[in-house]
Amino acid sequence: MIDEETMDEKDMSERSADEKTKPHIVGVNHIALEVGDIDEALDFYGRIFAFKLRGRGQSAAFIDMGDQFIALMRGRKQPSDDQRHFGLVVDDRSRVRELAQAAGATMLEGGRLDFLDPWGNRVQVVEYRDLQFTKTDAVLKYMGLDLEKTAEAQTELRAKGIEH
């Protein structure tokens, strides 16, 4: 992280000009998870979450998330994730712990809802209503969802100039 207090005016001017020409990160198109077997992975995740299959091949399957997707790729080589994880946003997480345990996930300790899938991918499950993360009305309609935000999430969005 850059300490802007220690930068002189020339450095700030150069950085500002450079920032204007760099590509902006807009979002995440997809997440690729390495799994041991595609059929087993689809069964595992299907026991926890409702989803549409976007596409499938011999060594990959694609789980639709509206304008994003998860790619399940055959071939896990590294050990289980420790701190590395991805946050999966759901409409309602009230049954996730129960369903993940029943599917054979390794539930992780702590104040969050984190688990390891059978291949060691760490998944953190968060609820849409509680986050700054938003989907457009068009994407929510496509997904058949009508979701609201908590007052806290709406306040965070407004602080960024995003009306929801």
Side-chain angles (χ1 to χ4, degrees), residues 13 22 44 47 49 60 66 86 100 106 111 128 132 134 141 161:
S13 175
K22 289 181 183 175
F44 172 80
R47 293 175 65 195
F49 305 108
F86 73 98
T106 301
Y128 180 85
Q132 294 180 47
T134 63
K141 182 178 178 182

Side-chain angles (χ1 to χ4, degrees), residues 89-102:
V89 181
V90 297
D91 61 340
D92 178 4
R93 69 178 210 156
S94 63
R95 294 195 57 222
V96 171
R97 182 176 306 279
E98 159 199 352
L99 294 170
Q101 286 173 323

Side-chain angles (χ1 to χ4, degrees), residues 37-119:
D37 180 88
I38 298 301
D39 289 327
E40 289 175 18
L42 288 171
D43 179 62
F44 172 80
Y45 282 102
R47 293 175 65 195
I48 304 169
F49 305 108
F51 61 82
K52 293 178 185 174
L53 192 60
R54 178 180 282 200
R56 158 131 207 193
Q58 285 188 333
S59 60
F62 307 95
I63 295 173
D64 194 28
M65 297 188 303
D67 56 347
Q68 301 165 308
F69 64 95
I70 297 175
L72 302 174
M73 311 298 294
R74 186 177 62 203
R76 174 82 183 201
K77 295 176 182 70
Q78 69 269 23
S80 292
D81 296 335
D82 183 22
Q83 294 301 316
R84 180 183 54 216
H85 68 279
F86 73 98
L88 188 60
V89 181
V90 297
D91 61 340
D92 178 4
R93 69 178 210 156
S94 63
R95 294 195 57 222
V96 171
R97 182 176 306 279
E98 159 199 352
L99 294 170
Q101 286 173 323
T106 301
M107 304 308 296
L108 301 175
E109 298 293 323
R112 302 193 183 272
L113 178 48
D114 288 25
F115 65 83
L116 294 176
D117 71 10
W119 305 278

Side-chain angles (χ1 to χ4, degrees), residues 89-94 126-134 146-157 164:
V89 181
V90 297
D91 61 340
D92 178 4
R93 69 178 210 156
S94 63
V126 292
E127 197 161 328
Y128 180 85
R129 67 189 189 103
D130 297 325
L131 305 171
Q132 294 180 47
F133 171 89
T134 63
D146 182 23
L147 303 175
E148 298 296 324
K149 293 287 187 187
T150 63
E152 294 83 8
Q154 289 179 26
T155 299
E156 288 178 10
L157 287 164
H164 185 270

